[in-house]
Amino acid sequence: EIDWSDIISTVEFNHSGELLATGDKGGRVVIFQQEQENKIQSHSRGEYNVYSTFQSHEPEFDYLKSLEIEEKINKIRWLPQKNAAQFLLSTNDKTIKLWKISERDKRPEGYNLKEEDGRYRDPTTVTTLRVPVFRPMDLMVEASPRRIFANAHTYHINSISINSDYETYLSADDLRINLWHLEITDRSFNIVDIKPANMEELTEVITAAEFHPNSCNTFVYSSSKGTIRLCDMRASALCDRHSKLFEEPEDPSNRSFFSEIISSISDVKFSHSGRYMMTRDYLSVKIWDLNMENRPVETYQVHEYLRSKLCSLYENDCIFDKFECCWNGSDSVVMTGSYNNFFRMFDRNTKRDITLEASRENNKPRTVLKPRKVCASGKRKKDEISVDSLDFNKKILHTAWHPKENIIAVATTNNLYIFQDKVN
Amino acid sequence: MFPKPPSLGKVLIFWQSWWDTQEKEGILPERAEEAKLKAKYPSLGQKPGGSDFLMKRLQKGQKYFDSGDYNMAKAKMKNKQLPSAGPDKNLVTGDHIPTPQDLPQRKSSLVTSKLAG
């Protein structure tokens, strides 16, 4: 029986890969830290251990609409490290918070007026003066909220993205995108607004948004209709008109009731190089060259066998699942999750793909993962799994790849798996 | 000497069977699923991605009658998880009109994430 609040809702490595943050439905953030490499045991990279955990968001009540505001953490994004402390942004549906995570490994001892436990001494008993000194103590990691960016979103926040200027960031909800300055909490600029004057005319919503990794004036946002718009903030203050529109033409004879639903983009991620972007829709992962708007340059089928199951996937709402996707550090491999605790990797150079499983039952620690195969139809070979025996409650929606090494973090419903490639 | 070209009849047969294969592999699965769905729910709207479906998405979140209803629901959930919650506060209803101070407040989570376990 899974405790609802333990369901992992986001996973993100920091810029160096030393820290890994997870957010859950209970509004908590857990940060893992990679052990510093043991010089003697150079055959494996350091393991990740719990570094800090804190309650980021609490549930709230929207009095105007009588709606609950969930404390679920939708996204976490790290700031690059500038000093000894680490900073991250975490957001739920309505409020974004900037958290400072700092270490304390020394404390002052030898106060004149206070005992070691904090009680004040009777001043009349003080006969000599001494200078307090800092003494080492057990490492304590503290998290404190430094900024709270609230009340800027009428709809539910789905994305936050820090600009390459490291001063501003964007937050996107279903209909609007706002630009914030990290230092200023009482004001934000609206840069995209797709809310129609008449809500009856609503045909699409914003599903994800991200800043370009190098150009601080450029960002993209994806829609529920399968389009991606690239906007340039130098063009105008309100970027309602896109600079580029990425859309793959659809053969109208192929259209079905499900077409629009499965074309809805659940995640968009720029490559580290900034030349490409990747989108995830229900059945596939697409790589787009920013210089070509009329179709993606690469398409990878994640679980095409589900196309003949769309009716039941619509009935059990699985067709609305929002899978994320990620690049490896060199942009040569992309990864995304699927059902039955399977996740998939596609090598863009060799065009080879692999399906792996994140589960304790089938994999012992420190053994190489065995590739999995789903049998779509016909005779099932030994070790293959048939589509009908897939567990659709075991979804891998969130995955992350270490920015520099081949270490991946894969979140099943309420467990976090960290895999690394064999180092010899 | 070139091989004799196939007669027109044979070409047509080839084309038809190729098209049938295409249909079976590509287009039919989705359409078959659509037919299944329409058979189960004949009243399903013509615009699948249209306003109703999107409006439902914008409106996500559990609705309560009012803030009192919300706080009571939260308290019920909390009381299940923390049986040590003050018994006095639970005896409020039925005896007198509760005041905001009497209603159980939502306590901050004392339960740490199992990942931090």
Side-chain angles (χ1 to χ4, degrees):
Chain A
E1 191 57 43
I2 292 175
D3 185 359
W4 165 94
S5 55
D6 280 332
I7 295 171
I8 300 171
S9 50
T10 187
V11 182
E12 185 83 355
F13 279 100
N14 76 336
H15 290 248
S16 66
E18 186 204 350
L19 298 176
L20 174 66
T22 62
D24 65 25
K25 269 201 167 180
R28 297 165 302 197
V29 171
V30 181
I31 301 175
F32 299 86
Q33 183 188 43
Q34 190 179 27
E35 265 174 7
Q36 296 318 301
E37 259 176 65
N38 192 329
K39 296 285 183 263
I40 305 159
Q41 284 187 305
S42 57
H43 66 273
S44 76
R45 300 183 194 87
E47 281 190 0
Y48 282 82
N49 302 311
V50 179
Y51 176 68
S52 170
T53 177
F54 56 93
Q55 185 76 33
S56 171
H57 286 71
E58 296 272 355
E60 288 172 65
F61 189 66
D62 182 339
Y63 292 89
L64 197 62
K65 298 177 188 167
S66 289
L67 282 175
E68 176 184 38
I69 299 171
E70 280 188 304
E71 67 272 38
K72 171 169 76 92
I73 308 293
N74 293 335
K75 285 280 170 359
I76 289 173
R77 290 287 182 263
W78 290 91
L79 265 72
Q81 191 173 12
K82 285 193 288 194
N83 52 37
Q86 299 278 358
F87 288 85
L88 60 80
L89 284 177
S90 68
T91 187
N92 69 347
D93 283 337
K94 298 285 185 184
T95 305
I96 306 133
K97 296 187 184 181
L98 176 69
W99 288 89
K100 176 179 178 183
I101 297 113
S102 46
E103 293 185 357
R104 192 194 291 264
D105 60 359
K106 292 185 268 292
R107 69 156 172 248
E109 286 176 19
Y111 283 106
N112 288 290
L113 298 176
K114 273 201 287 189
E115 304 283 6
E116 293 306 329
D117 61 10
R119 280 177 305 146
Y120 281 97
R121 293 168 72 184
D122 180 354
T124 56
T125 63
V126 178
T127 54
T128 58
L129 281 180
R130 58 186 174 173
V131 179
V133 289
F134 276 92
R135 290 248 144 76
M137 64 181 248
D138 287 339
L139 180 68
M140 214 168 72
V141 182
E142 301 167 323
S144 59
R146 306 303 287 175
R147 306 267 186 280
I148 303 203
F149 305 92
N151 302 320
H153 286 279
T154 308
Y155 302 98
H156 300 108
I157 298 173
N158 52 57
S159 313
I160 47 173
S161 176
I162 298 171
N163 203 347
S164 51
D165 64 9
Y166 300 144
E167 285 187 347
T168 57
Y169 74 93
L170 63 75
S171 58
D173 67 30
D174 293 314
L175 297 177
R176 300 189 176 103
I177 302 179
N178 293 330
L179 179 71
W180 302 83
H181 191 286
L182 284 164
E183 299 287 324
I184 299 167
T185 57
D186 63 355
R187 232 172 312 164
S188 77
F189 286 102
N190 176 242
I191 51 178
V192 172
D193 188 340
I194 65 167
K195 183 173 181 208
N198 180 3
M199 283 298 270
E200 299 283 306
E201 291 160 24
L202 183 70
T203 55
E204 64 180 334
V205 295
I206 296 169
T207 53
E210 197 181 46
F211 263 120
H212 190 275
N214 308 317
S215 304
C216 58
N217 48 275
T218 304
F219 65 92
V220 293
Y221 67 92
S222 58
S223 85
S224 53
K225 277 189 157 177
T227 63
I228 309 102
R229 287 171 175 78
L230 184 142
C231 300
D232 187 333
M233 296 195 291
R234 296 170 300 187
S236 72
L238 190 59
C239 297
D240 277 357
R241 277 177 51 211
H242 54 263
S243 297
K244 292 195 185 195
L245 174 65
F246 297 84
E247 188 172 14
E248 184 167 26
E250 194 198 10
D251 184 353
S253 65
N254 281 345
R255 204 164 168 76
S256 77
F257 173 83
F258 304 109
S259 299
E260 191 173 306
I261 302 172
I262 62 171
S263 72
S264 175
I265 292 171
S266 49
D267 195 15
V268 65
K269 292 261 169 52
F270 278 106
S271 64
H272 294 90
S273 64
R275 164 87 191 265
Y276 299 97
M277 67 178 173
M278 164 168 54
T279 57
R280 174 70 155 98
D281 52 71
Y282 190 61
L283 296 178
S284 67
V285 161
K286 294 178 180 166
I287 312 278
W288 304 77
D289 184 325
L290 292 191
N291 299 318
M292 188 156 74
E293 295 168 63
N294 60 359
R295 61 179 168 82
V297 289
E298 294 156 41
T299 301
Y300 301 103
Q301 300 302 334
V302 181
H303 36 218
E304 179 69 12
Y305 45 79
L306 294 184
R307 203 179 282 271
S308 52
K309 300 280 169 210
L310 292 177
C311 178
S312 40
L313 291 169
Y314 179 89
E315 288 180 293
N316 61 20
D317 274 353
C318 282
I319 205 175
F320 302 109
D321 284 338
K322 297 187 180 65
F323 291 95
E324 290 175 7
C325 53
C326 61
W327 300 83
N328 72 339
S330 58
D331 297 336
S332 59
V333 183
V334 297
M335 171 168 67
T336 190
S338 178
Y339 294 104
N340 211 67
N341 282 344
F342 287 170
F343 58 100
R344 305 260 285 137
M345 287 188 197
F346 303 92
D347 188 317
R348 300 176 61 211
N349 299 325
T350 65
K351 299 300 177 201
R352 292 205 336 236
D353 62 86
I354 192 169
T355 305
L356 298 168
E357 181 178 2
S359 93
R360 268 192 287 240
E361 289 96 47
N362 297 326
N363 304 298
K364 295 198 178 59
R366 304 202 187 289
T367 58
V368 176
L369 293 178
K370 210 177 82 165
R372 301 279 174 219
K373 189 133 166 58
V374 177
C375 166
S377 59
K379 282 212 168 85
R380 186 178 73 88
K381 297 198 188 81
K382 179 178 132 93
D383 283 352
E384 281 186 359
I385 295 143
S386 81
V387 182
D388 295 309
S389 37
L390 293 176
D391 188 341
F392 290 97
N393 289 318
K394 295 189 174 161
K395 335 171 191 244
I396 291 181
L397 303 173
H398 312 286
T399 59
W401 205 305
H402 190 289
K404 301 185 174 71
E405 299 178 34
N406 279 343
I407 301 174
I408 58 173
V410 175
T412 58
T413 308
N414 63 339
N415 283 311
L416 182 70
Y417 290 80
I418 299 176
F419 301 110
Q420 59 187 33
D421 65 357
K422 274 183 73 174
V423 180
N424 287 317
Chain B
M1 178 67 179
F2 293 118
K4 192 170 158 207
S7 66
L8 189 60
K10 284 190 183 143
V11 168
L12 283 176
I13 292 164
F14 167 79
W15 177 256
Q16 184 60 40
S17 61
W18 174 85
W19 180 247
D20 284 341
T21 328
Q22 290 302 305
E23 281 236 291
K24 286 198 179 83
E25 282 163 10
I27 307 158
L28 273 187
E30 230 173 281
R31 288 276 171 77
E33 291 297 300
E34 181 176 0
K36 250 192 257 178
L37 195 68
K38 288 247 160 81
K40 280 195 182 177
Y41 309 102
S43 58
L44 211 51
Q46 277 80 12
K47 282 195 301 172
S51 294
D52 294 336
F53 157 61
L54 284 179
M55 289 304 280
K56 202 177 106 170
R57 182 194 171 127
L58 294 180
Q59 192 76 356
K60 108 174 188 221
Q62 201 178 348
K63 209 160 170 87
Y64 290 87
F65 180 70
D66 61 14
S67 60
D69 181 25
Y70 170 74
N71 283 313
M72 293 306 292
K74 284 290 157 196
K76 274 208 195 87
M77 223 175 68
K78 268 295 133 187
N79 289 336
K80 281 202 194 112
Q81 287 176 12
L82 301 169
S84 57
D88 304 317
K89 298 198 172 175
N90 293 338
L91 295 173
V92 163
T93 54
D95 263 305
H96 61 275
I97 296 165
T99 57
Q101 292 92 298
D102 293 330
L103 287 175
Q105 296 299 311
R106 195 212 180 268
K107 299 180 179 61
S108 57
S109 297
L110 297 179
V111 186
T112 26
S113 162
K114 70 181 265 266
L115 289 186

